[in-house]
Amino acid sequence: MSFYTGISIHSLLEDGSLGEERELSGIPEPAMINYVSWSKDGRHLAFSIREELQDGNGKSMLGLWVADVTTGFAKRLFGPPELSLNTIFDSYSWLDESTLIACTIPTSRGEEPKKPRTPISPKIQANEDGKVVQARTYQDLLKDKHDSDLFDFYTTSQLVIVSLDGYKTFVQSPAVYTSVEPSPDGNYLLVSSIQKPYSYIVPCGRFPKRVELWTSKGEFVKEICSLPLAEDIPIAFNSVRKGRRSVGWRADKPASLYWVETQDGGDARVEVCPRDIIYTQSVGSKDNDGIRMLHKLDLRYGGIIWGDDSFALVYESWYKTRKTCTWIISPEENREAIILFDRSSEDAYSDPGTPMLRRTSFGTYVLAWVKKDDGKKYLLLNGHGATPEGDIPFLDLLDVNTKEKERIWQSSKEKYYESVVALMSDCADSDLIYNQLKVLFSRESQTERPQYYMLLWPDRQIKQITHFPHPYPQLVDLKKELIKYSRADGVQLSASLYTPPNYDPARDGPLPLIVWSYPGEFKNKEMAGQIRGSPNEFAGIGSTSPLLWLSRGFAVLDGPTIPIIGEGNDEANDSYVEQLVASAEAAVNEVIRRGVAQAKSIAVGGHSYGAFMTANLLAHAPHLFCCGIARAGAYNRTLTPFGFQNEERTLWEAPQTYINMSPFMLANKIKKPLLLIHGEEDNNSGTLTLQSERFFSALKGHGAFCRLVLLPLESHGFSARESIMHVLWEMDRWLQKYCLEQPLNSPNGCSNHADPAVQQLSPVGIDSKECASSEEMRGTWRPLSSL
C-alpha cells in the first residue's frame, strides 16, 4: 500500500494565511505513515506507522501513534511485537479528546493455518432446495475450508481502548469486527461483525452480519439486527439485502440510531409502494420501543444529511429511469415531507449542487445554514456547474421555502478552474454568519498545478496558502483543448485533446495519436451529449497514463465520450456495437479534420471496460486504428452470464446481445496488433485473468498480431514499481512498433513532431534497439535495471 513519509502542521491564522510549519518530531526515520485522524478537539493527531519485526523475516506490523499539535511531539501508544493494529476492515476511532478504540491483532492469534498436504474432503456446493441464486462473476472468493480458516485468522480483531497516556483496556472477545462507530457523544459504540456460515459464491459483504449496541466501555447493551447470509440478492440494479441496512448514528443527536428497511424483499423487480422506509430510535429505548418511522420512499434510499430537529435531507433514486429526488423531512416534528429537487441523475446541467456541512461540538457534520443580515437563513450549495462550455463550479445560497438561489461565488472561466474544497468557518452548534464565511478552494489551469487558496468574506479577499512545484516541468507547455463534435445520429460528443509542448499542426503536421476512453450508458440523447469536465483543468498524469506519451511526441485524445444510449424501453446494449463504432468514427474524423492525426497512425486503448471497448473496435472498426492496447479487460461475455457493467439481463434473457458484444467471438476478424495486459490476481468482478488468457489463445489461434503480459501479484489496478515500469515499457514498445512508420528514437523517425528536449523524456528510458521480437519477449519479465 502507499504511505506518507512525514507530517507537518500549520495553524490557520485569522487573516486566512498559514502559520509557520511545524514538523512532527519523535517519529522514526524513515517513516511509513497511514490512517491519519484528528481528535475531536483538534489538539491531537493519531496515525499508524509501519514497523518491521525483529525476526529477520522482513515482516512488518502497524503501531498506533499520537502527536500533540501544539508541540509537534509524537509518541507511540502501542506497537509490535506486543500489540499491532489490524486494519483489514477498520482501524481505530476517537471516543473522546483523550481516548481511542482500536482494532488490534489478538495476542493469542498464533501461527497462520497451514494448507493440508492432501485434501481432507471434496469441495461441495449444493442447491437442493431449488433457490434462485444469481451472482455476478466475483473474484477473490473463499474456495475451501483452508481459505475460510485464513479469513478468520487475518480478519479477527481484538478491540482495545487506549488513552493518550498509553493505558490499554481489552474489550469483549476477539471477533471479525467490520466497523466500530462511537456515538457522537462518545458514550456508546455501534459494533458490526461478520458471522458464520461463510459463502463460496459471494463476497464477505454478504456474509451473515450482526450489529450490536455497546457502551463506550465495551459492555453489551442490545442487538440491533442479525442478518442471514445473503446469497440470493437479485442482480437487478437497486436490489438490496433484506432486513435493516445502512444502520448508523444520527449526526444531529448525541446518541440516536437510524436505519432503512426494504419493503420489496430487496428485489428491484417487485413493484411496491413504498419501497424503502427510514426509521430512527434513541439508544435509551428498549428492544422495539421508541422506534419511529421518519420517511417512506417510493424509490431506493440513497442517503440522508442531518440538520436539526426540524430539517434533514433524504435522497432517493432509481437506476432504470435515472430519476433522483431530494426530500425535506422534519425528524422531530410532525410535518409532511416536501420535494426539494426532482431531476434526472444524467442531467449534469440541472445539478443544483451538494449542501455543505459544518462541524458540531460532537465532531460530526450537519447541514450548514448561512444567516444574512436580514435574519433569513439559507442552505449553502457547492456545485460542479456543468455548462456547454465546461464545468464552472459555484457556491449558491438556497432559500428552501421559495427555492430561489443567490450565487455568491463562481469559478473564473477564462483561464482557471476553481473548486471549493472545504468550509473553514465552522461555528459549532450555531448558524454561519454570511459576512464571516471562510472557504478553502483550489485553483488550477492547463499549465499550473492545483494550489490551495483561502477566500474570506465580506471583501472576498483571496490568500494563496500553498506553492507546490510543477510535478513535470518538461510538459509545462502542453496544450489541452476541449473539443466538440457530433456522431452520425446527431448525438453531441466531446473529448480532451492534448498535444505536446510547442506543437503547431500547421507547421509540424499530423502526429501519432492515442485514443484512450471508457464507454458510458445513458437513457437520453440530449443528456448524453452534455459537456462534463473543464478545458482549464490541470493535466494530472498518473503512473500509467496515456498522457505520458506527450513526452514521446504523441497527441492524446483522452476520454472521448462514447455514450451507449437506450431511450425509453430500449436496452442500450442491444445497439452497443453500432453506437460504439459511430462514436469512434466521429472522434477519429474530428482529429483528422483538425490536422492533428492521420488515419494510419492512430492507436486505441483503455483499461477494464475501456479494454473491452478497445477489442471491440479492432473487431468491428479495424479501418480506424493501427493497433490497440487493452489492460485488465473482459472479452467473452458468456463468462459473465449474470450481468456485467450496466447490463442487468442474464445471458439466457439476452443471448444475442451477450454474443454480439463479445470480441472473443470475433477473434478471427481481428487483424490489427493488440497488446493485452492483465494482473495475475485481478479482483474485479468480471475481469478475471482467464479473460485475457483465453482471448490471447483465440487471437493466436487465428494468426493475429498479439501479445499477452501477465503481471505477478497485481490486481485490477497495478501498484508495484516494477509492474508500472514494465507496463510503460510494453506500451511504449507497442506504440513505436505498430503506430509509427519509424521508431521515435531512430535517425529517420518522427522526432520532428516534438521539442528535442521533450524527446529525451522517455517514460521508461528505453532505446528502440532494445525492442526485441514478440517471440523473444513473450513471457519475459524485464528487470527494473533494464527499464
Side-chain angles (χ1 to χ4, degrees):
M1 62 190 296
S2 60
F3 52 85
Y4 303 105
T5 58
I7 299 175
S8 61
I9 299 171
H10 298 259
S11 295
L12 180 60
L13 305 181
E14 285 297 323
D15 65 355
S17 61
L18 290 186
E20 184 178 348
E21 180 183 51
R22 183 183 302 115
E23 290 193 21
L24 295 191
S25 60
I27 61 177
E29 294 288 345
M32 291 184 283
I33 300 169
N34 288 103
Y35 305 107
V36 183
S37 173
W38 290 100
S39 63
K40 292 185 177 184
D41 60 3
R43 295 174 56 190
H44 291 89
L45 199 64
F47 51 92
S48 70
I49 293 183
R50 187 169 296 279
E51 305 175 37
E52 286 196 12
L53 302 179
Q54 304 302 315
D55 58 4
N57 294 323
K59 293 182 179 179
S60 60
M61 297 292 184
L62 297 180
L64 182 60
W65 290 63
V66 67
D68 186 299
V69 172
T70 304
T71 65
F73 180 73
K75 65 179 181 180
R76 185 184 194 236
L77 295 183
F78 63 75
E82 293 83 12
L83 193 62
S84 304
L85 283 174
N86 186 351
T87 59
I88 294 280
F89 286 116
D90 203 353
S91 53
Y92 66 89
S93 300
W94 287 91
L95 284 176
D96 53 40
E97 291 78 4
S98 61
T99 314
L100 305 97
I101 184 165
C103 296
T104 67
I105 295 174
T107 55
S108 59
R109 186 166 77 169
E111 294 295 319
E112 175 186 296
K114 302 299 181 184
K115 189 175 182 66
R117 291 192 175 187
T118 58
I120 60 174
S121 68
K123 298 177 183 178
I124 300 172
Q125 297 185 48
N127 190 37
E128 296 183 44
D129 54 2
K131 284 186 177 179
V132 176
V133 178
Q134 300 179 350
R136 294 210 169 196
T137 316
Y138 296 115
Q139 304 302 300
D140 291 353
L141 301 177
L142 302 183
K143 302 178 184 66
D144 51 32
K145 185 180 184 303
H146 178 246
D147 273 0
S148 179
D149 292 340
L150 285 176
F151 180 80
D152 279 334
F153 178 81
Y154 282 111
T155 61
T156 298
S157 293
Q158 171 67 64
L159 298 183
V160 176
I161 295 175
V162 57
S163 60
L164 294 186
D165 60 8
Y167 182 77
K168 296 180 285 292
T169 303
F170 290 83
V171 176
Q172 295 284 351
S173 301
V176 184
Y177 298 111
T178 55
S179 69
V180 181
E181 301 177 41
S183 60
D185 63 7
N187 292 328
Y188 295 91
L189 298 171
L190 187 64
V191 181
S192 300
S193 60
I194 287 178
Q195 307 294 314
K196 291 184 177 180
Y198 298 156
S199 171
Y200 295 161
I201 65 173
V202 293
C204 61
R206 296 192 181 186
F207 289 1
K209 177 181 179 180
R210 181 179 299 156
V211 182
E212 297 176 338
L213 181 68
W214 298 356
T215 68
S216 59
K217 296 181 180 180
E219 300 161 342
F220 176 84
V221 177
K222 65 179 179 180
E223 180 180 277
I224 303 301
C225 63
S226 182
L227 306 177
L229 177 64
E231 290 185 332
D232 58 348
I233 298 177
I235 62 172
F237 287 103
N238 290 125
S239 294
V240 295
R241 190 173 195 158
K242 300 173 186 176
R244 294 183 180 182
R245 68 183 199 281
S246 301
V247 183
W249 294 109
R250 286 181 52 171
D252 63 329
K253 291 290 184 182
S256 288
L257 295 168
Y258 76 97
W259 64 88
V260 182
E261 293 186 30
T262 178
Q263 306 300 299
D264 56 15
D267 190 346
R269 296 169 297 188
V270 175
E271 295 295 333
V272 65
C273 182
R275 193 171 289 276
D276 273 338
I277 298 179
I278 308 170
Y279 296 94
T280 185
Q281 182 186 34
S282 171
V283 295
S285 305
K286 293 183 178 181
D287 300 324
N288 293 327
D289 293 341
I291 295 178
R292 292 190 299 108
M293 183 179 66
L294 280 183
H295 188 53
K296 296 180 180 180
L297 297 168
D298 292 337
L299 309 180
R300 188 64 78 202
Y301 169 78
I304 187 167
I305 304 179
W306 299 98
D308 52 32
D309 286 353
S310 63
F311 197 97
L313 295 179
V314 175
Y315 295 83
E316 64 173 347
S317 62
W318 197 246
Y319 175 78
K320 201 75 173 177
T321 60
R322 309 301 198 270
K323 182 181 176 68
T324 180
C325 297
T326 305
W327 290 86
I328 298 173
I329 67 169
S330 301
E332 301 296 325
E333 298 178 4
N334 188 23
R335 288 192 293 172
E336 187 176 350
I338 303 171
I339 279 279
L340 181 62
F341 303 122
D342 184 354
R343 49 184 292 273
S344 169
S345 60
E346 290 183 342
D347 188 1
Y349 294 170
S350 73
D351 188 348
T354 302
M356 298 203 74
L357 309 179
R358 67 166 177 85
R359 197 167 186 268
T360 70
S361 56
F362 291 131
T364 59
Y365 288 85
V366 297
L367 290 165
W369 289 99
V370 177
K371 183 182 292 185
K372 300 190 75 173
D373 291 340
D374 59 6
K376 293 185 65 175
K377 298 197 305 182
Y378 304 83
L379 280 183
L380 185 60
L381 300 180
N382 178 18
H384 292 293
T387 74
E389 288 71 46
D391 287 356
I392 307 174
F394 62 83
L395 281 178
D396 278 353
L397 292 181
L398 173 68
D399 185 324
V400 296
N401 296 313
T402 65
K403 298 187 180 179
E404 293 181 354
K405 300 175 187 175
E406 177 189 352
R407 186 140 300 176
I408 62 172
W409 174 86
Q410 186 169 331
S411 170
S412 58
K413 54 186 177 182
E414 299 305 322
K415 178 182 178 181
Y416 292 108
Y417 173 77
E418 300 166 323
S419 60
V420 172
V421 177
L423 183 63
M424 305 299 289
S425 49
D426 280 5
C427 298
D429 305 324
S430 63
D431 299 328
L432 307 182
I433 306 302
Y434 175 72
N435 285 330
Q436 297 176 11
L437 284 178
K438 188 184 299 182
V439 170
L440 181 70
F441 73 95
S442 68
R443 172 184 288 170
E444 60 192 277
S445 71
Q446 290 187 14
T447 57
E448 300 172 49
R449 72 169 297 172
Q451 303 288 356
Y452 290 110
Y453 295 78
M454 201 68 67
L455 174 63
L456 293 86
W457 272 259
D459 301 328
R460 311 294 178 91
Q461 186 180 8
I462 294 176
K463 288 186 177 289
Q464 183 172 350
I465 62 173
T466 63
H467 297 84
F468 302 127
H470 198 290
Y472 16 88
Q474 300 90 339
L475 292 177
V476 70
D477 294 321
L478 66 82
K479 183 180 179 183
K480 174 186 177 183
E481 184 179 2
L482 180 63
I483 64 173
K484 306 173 187 177
Y485 50 97
S486 301
R487 74 184 189 192
D489 59 0
V491 175
Q492 298 298 303
L493 306 176
S494 62
S496 293
L497 177 61
Y498 294 87
T499 51
N502 305 319
Y503 168 71
D504 183 339
R507 180 191 67 210
D508 301 325
L511 298 175
L513 179 133
I514 305 170
V515 176
W516 198 269
S517 191
Y518 192 99
E521 285 193 7
F522 293 86
K523 293 297 292 181
N524 182 284
K525 286 184 178 181
E526 286 69 31
M527 295 175 188
Q530 291 182 350
I531 302 296
R532 293 164 174 83
S534 168
N536 297 326
E537 287 180 282
F538 182 73
I541 301 179
S543 57
T544 57
S545 168
L547 299 185
L548 287 167
W549 273 264
L550 293 167
S551 70
R552 294 294 244 170
F554 280 74
V556 179
L557 192 68
D558 190 41
T561 51
I562 301 181
I564 311 300
I565 304 165
E567 293 191 299
N569 294 324
D570 292 342
E571 295 289 347
N573 283 338
D574 288 345
S575 56
Y576 170 86
V577 171
E578 295 82 356
Q579 296 192 61
L580 175 68
V581 172
S583 297
E585 283 180 336
V588 168
N589 290 340
E590 180 64 17
V591 293
I592 292 176
R593 184 190 69 80
R594 289 171 174 263
V596 176
Q598 56 185 344
K600 60 183 177 180
S601 297
I602 300 177
V604 62
H607 190 94
S608 193
Y609 208 54
F612 174 68
M613 168 207 75
T614 297
N616 264 308
L617 286 173
L618 293 190
H620 296 282
H623 60 288
L624 297 177
F625 305 103
C626 61
C627 65
I629 298 173
R631 301 190 324 216
Y635 311 102
N636 184 352
R637 285 303 165 201
T638 67
L639 296 179
T640 57
F642 291 107
F644 58 90
Q645 200 69 5
N646 293 322
E647 179 57 65
E648 296 181 283
R649 298 168 296 175
T650 69
L651 168 63
W652 298 272
E653 292 171 320
Q656 203 56 50
T657 296
Y658 274 67
I659 292 171
N660 291 345
M661 290 182 67
S662 297
F664 178 86
M665 303 300 180
L666 295 175
N668 61 323
K669 302 293 185 182
I670 298 178
K671 304 302 180 185
K672 296 296 178 68
L674 179 58
L675 172 63
L676 300 170
I677 302 176
H678 217 120
E680 279 196 325
E681 308 293 338
D682 195 315
N683 66 336
N684 187 53
S685 175
T687 57
L688 59 164
T689 309
L690 179 69
Q691 290 272 7
S692 285
E693 293 173 325
R694 291 292 179 263
F695 191 35
F696 173 75
S697 296
L699 292 170
K700 185 178 178 183
H702 290 91
F705 293 91
C706 55
R707 181 178 176 85
L708 174 63
V709 179
L710 299 180
L711 303 172
L713 307 178
E714 292 291 354
S715 186
H716 192 59
F718 312 140
S719 301
R721 177 181 175 86
E722 293 85 350
S723 299
I724 290 168
M725 296 296 283
H726 193 85
V727 167
L728 295 178
W729 186 89
E730 291 283 358
M731 291 175 62
D732 192 62
R733 172 187 175 275
W734 202 255
L735 292 169
Q736 288 207 45
K737 185 172 183 179
Y738 295 112
C739 194
L740 305 176
E741 294 183 77
Q742 296 288 336
L744 285 172
N745 289 339
S746 69
N748 299 318
C750 303
S751 59
N752 62 307
H753 287 320
D755 186 287
V758 175
Q759 275 297 323
Q760 300 172 13
L761 293 174
S762 162
V764 290
I766 198 81
D767 190 86
S768 59
K769 64 185 179 182
E770 292 185 40
C771 293
S773 68
S774 180
E775 282 299 325
E776 291 172 328
M777 285 301 301
R778 182 172 292 121
T780 302
W781 180 260
R782 300 290 291 179
L784 186 61
S785 59
S786 73
L787 298 178

